[in-house]
Amino acid sequence: MENKNKKSFLERMGESQVWKSIIRSGVPRSRRQRMQAILGSVFLHLHPARIPKHAVKIGYTWCMGGLSFFLFIVLTITGLLLMFYYRPTVEYAYTDIIDMAEQVPLGIMRELHRWGAHAMVLTVWLHMLRVFMTGSYKPPREFNWGVGVLLMTLTMFLSFTGYLLPWDQLAIWAITVGTNMARAHPFIGHEGPGASLLAIGDINLVHAGSDVRFALLGGRFVGEASLLRFYVLHCIGVPFITMILMAVHFWRIRKDGGISGPL
Amino acid sequence: MLQTIKDIIDILSAPTVSFTFLTVAFPFVFPPTDWFEKIHRKFGIWRLWTKPGFYGGMFAITFFFVVGYFDPNFHVTLTKADNFPIILMIYSMFITIWWSMYQAYLNDERLENGLKPNEYNDPDDKVLVWPDLVYIEFIALILFMVFLIVWSILVAAPLEEPANPAATPNPSKAPWYFLGLQEMLVYFDPWIAGIVFPMFIIIGMMAIPYMDINKKGDGYYSFKERRIGMFIFMYGWLVLWLFLIVIGTFFRGPNWNFFGPFEYWDAHKVVPLNNVNLSEYIWVKTLGTGLPANILIREGIGFLVLVAYMGILPILLAKSWLKNYFQEIGPVRYTFIMLFGLSMLALPIKMYMRWLFNLKYIIAIPEWFFNI
Ligand code: HEM
């Protein structure tokens, strides 16, 4: 009882100049301070300060959108660490991967990155399923559903481009199977319908050395240039677009009136 | 005893059997009309979406995997590190779909009794994000990270032999999330299975909110109010996407031949391939005249079939069976729904034409890489 008036360490910290300069509201205790804690933080204010009860339930959102985002961050960080060790050339790629497992202390970065990537495909699918199941794509959220579909596509493409990088049998053949499709792209793949129509006289514009598959692989086969292209797409190109779309996605959740719910 | 069960499962998992079973059973599990609903109730299929249904489903899946784990053949595919996500996928999809349907049925009942859905709260009675949401997010994030770390410690990321462009593995498989597309390659040429269908899937999915103009069931679980939309989406998602992934992963071996889960992947298994094009059926087998030299005449019937299916059928439907529906949604929406819907339906149709008549292509113009 005698401690009643004595301030706890946390309380004193919450009143210190340092803390208050960072978190203006002090230690979030009162209702006002708690709302301030959300509104005053760049990161937390992605959320509104108050939300309807059903929206915080795991049973409603399954946390899957949030976990997808979390996985994206985990993948960014682990991916960055992998980039320290990995060189995207036919000569080094495979051995760098082996080195990573054998030489790097506590080396589970590659595992975290790979399994995290698989998990992200799954969480994104589950998120999509829950949005469908709760009918949350209906107006006014049509546009955000569309952004979501693009995010899902990009997530799978990210995973796909990463698949090549270990440069083992699994990698090049999975990518060979995948990119063989591009060969059959109507008009712009050299074995696609309509490709032969794009010709000037006898000269075919679309052939194995100029079609969309060639553009993707940087060659006629999965080789050195493909590795570099996939590396650049995987580490910079696709994440960059994904990040922009995520920003749009989150912004729109708020603008569309927050998490959906019955009226 | 166990061997018999395995043999039965092997036979049942052949795409011809399992796909047919799923397709026929589907409308009774997700009933789109009153008639299906009646049978759904009468035979107790609705119990799948109750707690006993949940335990039953979980037991069946687990039984399948446990038996598989101790089977020398299934063990090989099942324990591939890269296949673990599919096991996760099967469990998580079952759990989440069960949960959604369970909640939906509770809500359907409430709505029928004039109550608001379970999710409903007084709009003035909100909770604070700090601490109520932030903490949940924090805990979810920690638990998930623990899960991921344990997974990463237990299962090493696979690394096979160094890349060798000269040695094609058999089978060569795409990453698991694309195996549905690779499975479609059995029935369609790459330009359709690999390009047109994926584009239609992406654009069609983006178009869902614009095609489904049913305003009900927004923001809570429900089934009855939107049963047709649910039925179509779930068929596409569960059968045409997820199930094809399962087939592609577990049931496709060397040369992309079918193998039951408990069957040995024999690279020398010979499957007779005597697929015939529609034009050959007509000109060679029926008329006995041999294929005409003119490509367009040769494939004329195929083009007619295509135009009838994609062009005339929707018009006929709009004038008869779907008349009211057409009037309700208007021509633009109707056109897109038909475009995406009929394309989606084309997959099972083509599968059955292959299985029943060995039909290879409806239109076969290899000269232009134009095979359908
Ligand atoms: C990288 C992928 C994605 C991320 C990080 C992401 C993130 C999120 C988050 C954090 C939410 C808040 C609610 C929740 O967690 O459920 C949300 C809501 C939403 N997401 Fe996503 N999402 C992704 C992909 C998708 C996909 C694939 C779709 C649909 C095809 C989608 C459609 C939506 C819609 C419509 C909402 C609003 C739901 C509501 O109001 O109930 N998102 N997203």
Side-chain angles (χ1 to χ4, degrees):
Chain A
M1 279 297 122
E2 59 173 357
N3 281 346
K4 208 174 171 188
N5 292 328
K6 227 173 135 192
K7 290 188 168 163
S8 72
F9 174 68
L10 215 65
E11 259 168 325
R12 271 187 287 139
M13 207 172 77
E15 280 162 16
S16 72
Q17 189 187 353
V18 175
W19 179 282
K20 281 199 153 167
S21 70
I22 302 170
I23 295 171
R24 289 258 144 92
S25 52
V27 179
R29 279 247 174 66
S30 69
R31 193 178 164 79
R32 216 186 83 85
Q33 279 174 324
R34 287 175 167 174
M35 304 208 353
Q36 279 300 323
I38 299 294
L39 297 176
S41 157
V42 167
F43 302 105
L44 292 181
H45 99 287
L46 279 173
H47 303 102
R50 294 158 62 236
I51 52 174
K53 270 185 182 152
H54 76 276
V56 301
K57 294 223 170 87
I58 301 273
Y60 190 70
T61 63
W62 313 347
C63 254
M64 279 303 156
L67 281 182
S68 306
F69 182 48
F70 173 62
L71 274 170
F72 185 78
I73 294 170
V74 170
L75 289 167
T76 308
I77 296 170
T78 53
L80 204 124
L81 292 172
L82 291 177
M83 284 171 82
F84 290 156
Y85 297 97
Y86 174 86
R87 288 162 290 179
T89 63
V90 169
E91 192 181 353
Y92 294 124
Y94 185 77
T95 46
D96 283 350
I97 298 276
I98 291 187
D99 274 1
M100 219 161 339
E102 291 182 352
Q103 312 293 338
V104 181
L106 299 178
I108 59 164
M109 274 317 135
R110 186 170 162 240
E111 275 74 12
L112 282 178
H113 196 74
R114 190 183 186 99
W115 302 140
H118 283 306
M120 184 170 164
V121 173
L122 256 185
T123 55
V124 171
W125 285 6
L126 288 168
H127 172 58
M128 186 270 295
L129 182 68
R130 121 46 210 163
V131 172
F132 183 83
M133 286 306 205
T134 56
S136 308
Y137 58 86
K138 300 190 177 200
R141 297 182 181 79
E142 315 97 304
F143 179 77
N144 218 14
W145 166 272
V147 174
V149 173
L150 292 180
L151 277 171
M152 176 162 69
T153 314
L154 287 172
T155 305
M156 286 158 73
F157 191 59
L158 260 177
S159 198
F160 181 68
T161 45
Y163 220 80
L164 181 65
L165 305 185
W167 203 248
D168 63 344
Q169 280 288 72
L170 200 62
I172 67 158
W173 289 103
I175 302 309
T176 304
V177 170
T179 50
N180 267 344
M181 306 286 152
R183 195 200 282 273
H185 197 300
F187 298 108
I188 53 177
H190 75 281
E191 285 178 4
S196 53
L197 298 178
L198 300 179
I200 301 174
D202 276 347
I203 306 161
N204 264 336
L205 295 181
V206 180
H207 52 80
S210 74
D211 68 347
V212 60
R213 180 168 182 273
F214 191 92
L216 200 60
L217 293 182
R220 285 160 208 255
F221 305 99
V222 178
E224 177 92 44
S226 327
L227 185 55
L228 185 59
R229 283 187 189 200
F230 274 54
Y231 178 75
V232 173
L233 283 178
H234 183 75
C235 300
I236 299 170
V238 191
F240 177 68
I241 303 172
T242 308
M243 251 155 19
I244 293 178
L245 282 183
M246 278 190 189
V248 176
H249 196 60
F250 297 157
W251 167 262
R252 281 303 291 244
I253 296 172
R254 294 292 300 279
K255 290 291 142 186
D256 294 341
I259 296 295
S260 58
L263 292 174
Chain B
M1 171 61 189
L2 195 59
Q3 192 51 46
T4 327
I5 297 182
K6 286 183 185 175
D7 289 344
I8 293 175
I9 295 182
D10 274 347
I11 295 170
L12 292 184
S13 20
T16 35
V17 182
S18 51
F19 191 86
T20 306
F21 173 77
L22 279 179
T23 302
V24 173
F26 213 76
F28 299 101
V29 180
F30 297 92
T33 66
D34 284 338
W35 185 81
F36 286 110
E37 166 91 24
K38 223 165 65 194
I39 298 186
H40 174 75
R41 294 276 159 200
K42 198 163 149 198
F43 290 95
I45 302 171
W46 60 277
R47 289 215 175 79
L48 186 58
W49 310 129
T50 61
K51 282 181 185 154
F54 176 73
Y55 300 128
M58 290 298 277
F59 176 79
I61 298 173
T62 310
F63 176 79
F64 182 62
F65 286 138
V66 169
V67 173
Y69 186 81
F70 291 105
D71 179 89
N73 296 317
F74 199 8
H75 187 91
V76 180
T77 21
L78 203 54
T79 51
K80 254 203 199 121
D82 267 343
N83 283 349
F84 180 63
I86 307 188
I87 300 173
L88 279 185
M89 173 187 97
I90 293 175
Y91 274 110
S92 57
M93 287 294 165
F94 175 73
I95 293 172
T96 48
I97 289 172
W98 176 84
W99 171 255
S100 314
M101 291 304 286
Y102 174 68
Q103 292 291 321
Y105 275 29
L106 293 181
N107 272 345
D108 286 354
E109 216 174 293
R110 290 176 66 94
L111 291 168
E112 245 158 57
N113 295 330
L115 298 170
K116 297 237 179 207
N118 258 322
E119 286 84 355
Y120 182 79
N121 290 296
D122 184 357
D124 294 327
D125 184 23
K126 291 190 173 174
V127 292
L128 290 177
V129 164
W130 184 295
D132 290 286
L133 179 58
V134 178
Y135 274 53
I136 292 176
E137 287 175 342
F138 187 64
I139 293 168
L141 184 153
I142 298 280
L143 289 181
F144 201 81
M145 200 60 216
V146 169
F147 168 72
L148 201 60
I149 290 175
V150 171
W151 181 4
S152 299
I153 291 175
L154 291 183
V155 189
L159 188 67
E160 299 192 348
E161 305 282 297
N164 179 358
T168 317
N170 187 8
S172 315
K173 292 193 179 184
W176 62 273
Y177 37 84
F178 286 140
L179 283 186
L181 296 177
Q182 202 176 348
E183 178 65 18
M184 286 181 207
L185 279 175
V186 176
Y187 308 99
F188 283 102
D189 264 18
W191 76 276
I192 297 188
I195 308 285
V196 174
F197 275 180
M199 279 184 184
F200 273 27
I201 294 172
I202 295 170
I203 300 172
M205 292 246 319
M206 289 173 78
I208 286 177
Y210 306 95
M211 300 190 297
D212 173 10
I213 56 165
N214 176 1
K215 290 254 173 0
K216 289 188 189 142
D218 180 353
Y220 54 95
Y221 297 103
S222 66
F223 180 76
K224 220 162 174 186
E225 291 176 324
R226 38 194 290 248
R227 54 189 181 178
I228 295 179
M230 283 276 236
F231 169 76
I232 299 174
F233 181 85
M234 291 311 272
Y235 184 74
W237 177 243
L238 269 177
V239 182
L240 296 184
W241 186 252
L242 296 182
F243 184 63
L244 289 193
I245 290 180
V246 172
I247 293 187
T249 314
F250 291 137
F251 306 156
R252 290 294 183 182
N255 306 324
W256 210 255
N257 282 327
F258 166 77
F259 291 88
F262 305 108
E263 230 177 294
Y264 171 68
W265 279 16
D266 178 3
H268 304 292
K269 175 170 176 173
V270 181
V271 179
L273 269 184
N274 46 3
N275 292 334
V276 183
N277 296 328
L278 182 62
S279 47
E280 286 162 341
Y281 262 118
I282 290 174
W283 298 107
V284 183
K285 297 211 170 176
T286 312
L287 299 177
T289 54
L291 292 176
N294 184 318
I295 293 175
L296 291 178
I297 296 179
R298 186 184 78 201
E299 303 301 330
I301 304 276
F303 279 110
L304 276 184
V305 171
L306 185 70
V307 171
Y309 179 69
M310 294 300 284
I312 300 175
L313 180 67
I315 297 176
L316 291 181
L317 284 175
K319 300 218 155 167
S320 56
W321 191 47
L322 294 179
K323 196 167 175 180
N324 293 337
Y325 182 61
F326 177 74
Q327 242 126 49
E328 192 189 336
I329 62 171
V332 177
R333 283 202 176 86
Y334 183 80
T335 308
F336 279 102
I337 291 177
M338 283 294 146
L339 174 67
F340 295 125
L342 291 176
S343 306
M344 178 170 137
L345 204 59
L347 177 62
I349 291 178
K350 186 84 191 282
M351 289 164 95
Y352 280 103
M353 292 212 274
R354 177 68 57 81
W355 295 334
L356 295 175
F357 311 117
N358 289 321
L359 184 84
K360 190 161 193 237
Y361 295 124
I362 296 168
I363 301 175
I365 313 181
E367 297 89 335
W368 303 342
F369 302 112
F370 189 83
N371 302 314
I372 296 179

